[in-house]
């Protein structure tokens, strides 16, 4: 008999249906999803009545940002970095030009 007041499902399994007839010890169980999520996704552990599913990370990407791994199952946050020579500013959640490149862009070109 699975569910409230009953025993938990076997390790790495979740209940998918009640026992029949009612309250019999033959509840339907299924193995938890153990496939790896893609970068930019996280997976909460399987629970008594719910499979472990990949979900989109909760932290948004900045412009020129890219996820660099799968997210933490407790927070839903994924690691990220930046494309094209930009550097991540994790405090502000943005991609910035390195100081040397910023100086080149703000210095006017010499006039002939």
């Amino acid at each position: 008999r699975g569910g409230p007041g009953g025993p938990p499902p076997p390790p790495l399994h979740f209940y998918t249906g009640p026992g029949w007839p009612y309250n019999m010890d033959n509840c339907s169980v299924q193995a938890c999803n153990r496939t790896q999520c893609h970068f930019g996704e996280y997976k909460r552990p399987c629970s008594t009545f719910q499979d472990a599913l990949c979900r989109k990370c909760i932290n948004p990407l900045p412009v020129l940002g890219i996820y660099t791994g799968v997210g933490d199952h407790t927070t839903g946050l994924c690691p990220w970095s930046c494309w094209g020579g930009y550097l991540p500013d994790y405090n502000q959640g943005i991609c910035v030009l390195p100081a040397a490149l910023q100086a080149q862009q703000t210095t006017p070109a010499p006039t002939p």
Side-chain angles (χ1 to χ4, degrees), residues 3-68:
L12 300 175
H13 286 74
F14 67 101
Y15 287 119
T16 59
W20 186 259
Y22 183 71
N23 277 346
M24 293 299 293
D25 289 332
N26 62 353
C27 296
S28 301
V29 296
Q30 182 175 329
C32 296
N33 177 355
R34 299 185 63 185
T35 59
Q36 181 71 280
C37 294
H38 294 53
F39 285 9
E41 297 177 332
Y42 72 100
K43 187 187 320 184
R44 291 249 164 96
C46 191
S47 65
T48 302
F49 297 103
Q50 188 172 27
D51 197 2
L53 301 174
C54 293
R55 296 173 171 92
K56 289 184 181 263
C57 293
I58 64 169
N59 54 317
L61 280 176
V63 174
L64 297 176
I66 181 173
Y67 289 119
T68 58

